[in-house]
Amino acid sequence: QVQLVESGGGLVQSGGSLRLSCAASGNIFSIYSMGWFRQAPGKQRELVATITSGGSTNYAGAVEGRFTISRDNAKNTVYLQMNSLKPEDTAVYYCNAAQFPSLNYWGQGTQVTVSS
């Protein structure tokens, strides 16, 4: 069992930055792959970025070069640094912990709003 709590969302102007945090409680956090997903009103949830237990990262094309995912296993926390934000980044951002092939945990989400 893993419990996830996101924080750091808010309102920012176009071109600004935000840093999201996801704090995890539970056992063997370090073996999980971690990810950030987002969902805008009227749209499906989409993958933003992932990081494996070994530190390998993957990004959606829409955010690559602007967002950076990282993890601190000692703090049981995963981060998403978001730079050069655009209005189309506006969404609820969700933290995810996964272990192949079928184990998944989700946070409650944090709102990110980018004004134009």
Side-chain angles (χ1 to χ4, degrees):
Q1 288 277 13
V2 176
Q3 296 178 352
L4 306 172
V5 180
E6 302 97 335
S7 62
L11 175 64
V12 66
Q13 290 278 103
S14 295
S17 298
L18 285 173
R19 190 192 196 198
L20 305 184
S21 298
C22 173
S25 62
N27 64 318
I28 54 176
F29 170 82
S30 63
I31 75 168
Y32 288 92
S33 291
M34 303 296 298
W36 288 96
F37 292 70
R38 67 186 183 186
Q39 187 168 23
K43 297 179 64 178
Q44 293 185 332
R45 187 177 299 182
E46 64 179 359
L47 188 146
V48 176
T50 60
I51 183 167
T52 69
S53 60
S56 297
T57 58
N58 187 64
Y59 298 92
V63 307
E64 191 163 10
R66 299 188 296 120
F67 291 9
T68 302
I69 188 171
S70 62
R71 66 192 296 163
D72 187 337
N73 290 339
K75 295 183 177 180
N76 295 159
T77 301
V78 62
Y79 305 95
L80 185 68
Q81 178 67 46
M82 305 184 294
N83 299 326
S84 302
L85 283 162
K86 305 174 181 179
E88 50 262 48
D89 295 319
T90 295
V92 177
Y93 284 70
Y94 297 91
C95 182
N96 169 261
Q99 185 179 35
F100 185 85
S102 61
L103 197 59
N104 262 276
Y105 301 96
W106 294 92
Q108 298 282 8
T110 185
Q111 177 71 48
V112 172
T113 302
V114 184
S115 62
S116 60

